Amino acid sequence: MTIAQHLESVRTVSVRHCRSVPAGFRRCGDLGWRIGPVSVDIVHPFDGGSISDSAVVGSLVGLVDAGVIAGQRQFEDAAVQMIRSAASTEAGSWAAFYDNSITELRDGGSPFGPVHARARSLVVGDSLLEVGSCFGFLALQCAEDGFEVSACDISPGAVEHLRAAARRRQTPLRAVVGDATDLPFDTDAVDTVTLIHLLEHLDEQATVRALTEALRVARRRVVVAVPFEEHPSEHFGHLIQLTLDDLAAWAGQVEHDGVELFTHLGGWMVLTPVARRSV
């Protein structure tokens, strides 16, 4: 049976910490792997000093490229297990993951750092909502920069991890579970709404609903960023390949008072909501 054929039948991935690649495992970058009888077995060297979002994503993308793991479920299962096993306790592992990731995002050690820096530079006003926050690294950075921040994600697990990180870092932040297409926030609730690397996960109908909702909740600005890829990254859950023309087409399907489109490590769209006047 080939690796590709085995991957079709494998239901799980199994990840553990190991300082060096054991005998019987193949090396792929920092990781070791082997095909077990019921799982893809992976070992990683990351500990509390080195575990971070960029370390996890970069190493697992290597396994995707090598054909060892496939699909969003296996990628996310492997990522969570890698994070949980980095330190002596699960709480310590998550704390190190958050602290190291935010440090790397701020000091340029993460490839995604420039995207977050550009997003933060586009925030206007005193309050913002990050839609599709996932682990909430951008929301935490903005809150620690002094903004009044809310975060929203469809995953209860991601929201709970963000809440725990905010409590531990003593960062005032509101995190809630919610769908981008039906935001649990009042009209004109915040100055800026961000959707950073979210819309590539949605089909066109859901994208238009998400933009409409963001424009409803934002008083002053909606900031959108998407990756430009030759092929949608299935392991990240990306559904569509995007260009600046797609962003322009989306802007044409929602009501707004102005749009700016530009490229910077992907595509960006800044929308101005229609001013709402009380009767």
Side-chain angles (χ1 to χ4, degrees):
M1 179 183 292
T2 67
I3 292 176
Q5 289 170 332
H6 186 79
L7 282 172
E8 292 180 0
S9 62
V10 164
R11 298 298 180 188
T12 62
V13 293
S14 176
V15 183
R16 62 185 172 91
H17 176 266
C18 190
R19 293 186 179 183
S20 59
V21 176
F25 281 71
R26 302 184 190 183
R27 179 178 290 278
C28 182
D30 292 318
L31 307 182
W33 65 274
R34 69 180 179 187
I35 300 296
V38 295
S39 67
V40 178
D41 299 328
I42 301 167
V43 295
H44 73 89
F46 304 115
D47 57 19
S50 58
I51 191 72
S52 69
D53 188 62
S54 63
V56 171
V57 172
S59 59
L60 289 179
V61 166
L63 290 186
V64 172
D65 292 341
V68 178
I69 60 174
Q72 185 177 7
R73 179 183 60 81
Q74 284 192 347
F75 190 93
E76 292 182 351
D77 284 352
V80 169
Q81 290 183 55
M82 192 179 296
I83 296 165
R84 286 175 171 169
S85 59
S88 58
T89 67
E90 183 172 338
S93 295
W94 281 105
F97 173 69
Y98 266 90
D99 291 348
N100 296 339
S101 297
I102 292 175
T103 296
E104 287 186 350
L105 285 163
R106 285 198 180 276
D107 69 13
S110 168
F112 211 62
V115 175
H116 277 201
R118 191 60 177 266
R120 296 201 312 274
S121 75
L122 293 169
V123 173
V124 295
D126 299 322
S127 60
L128 72 107
L129 165 65
E130 183 187 8
V131 180
S133 54
C134 189
F135 290 127
F137 299 133
L138 177 60
L140 281 167
Q141 290 174 82
C142 289
E144 292 170 1
D145 286 343
F147 292 97
E148 180 185 335
V149 176
S150 296
C152 178
D153 196 88
I154 201 168
S155 166
V159 168
E160 188 50 48
H161 284 305
L162 174 54
R163 288 172 179 164
R167 287 194 299 268
R168 183 182 55 81
R169 293 171 66 93
Q170 298 184 327
T171 301
L173 181 151
R174 178 191 179 198
V176 301
V177 177
D179 192 318
T181 65
D182 187 19
L183 293 173
F185 292 89
D186 293 336
T187 298
D188 293 337
V190 298
D191 292 317
T192 299
V193 173
T194 65
L195 302 92
I196 308 301
H197 286 213
L198 167 66
L199 298 183
E200 65 273 15
H201 296 264
L202 307 180
D203 61 29
E204 184 172 357
Q205 184 178 20
T207 291
V208 173
R209 291 202 304 269
L211 289 173
T212 300
E213 278 290 272
L215 287 162
R216 176 185 65 80
V217 173
R219 287 190 292 266
R220 298 177 59 183
R221 178 172 286 182
V222 171
V223 179
V224 174
V226 297
F228 287 165
E229 303 172 300
E230 290 186 11
H231 304 285
S233 298
E234 179 187 355
H235 52 284
F236 290 143
H238 297 177
L239 299 181
I240 51 177
Q241 177 191 15
L242 297 170
T243 68
L244 213 58
D245 289 340
D246 294 301
L247 273 69
W250 293 342
Q253 297 182 65
V254 294
E255 188 177 8
H256 57 80
D257 266 352
V259 59
E260 178 186 1
L261 302 172
F262 60 93
T263 59
H264 174 72
L265 300 174
W268 293 77
M269 176 168 63
V270 178
L271 294 164
T272 301
V274 174
R276 284 173 279 269
R277 298 176 178 83
S278 59
V279 178

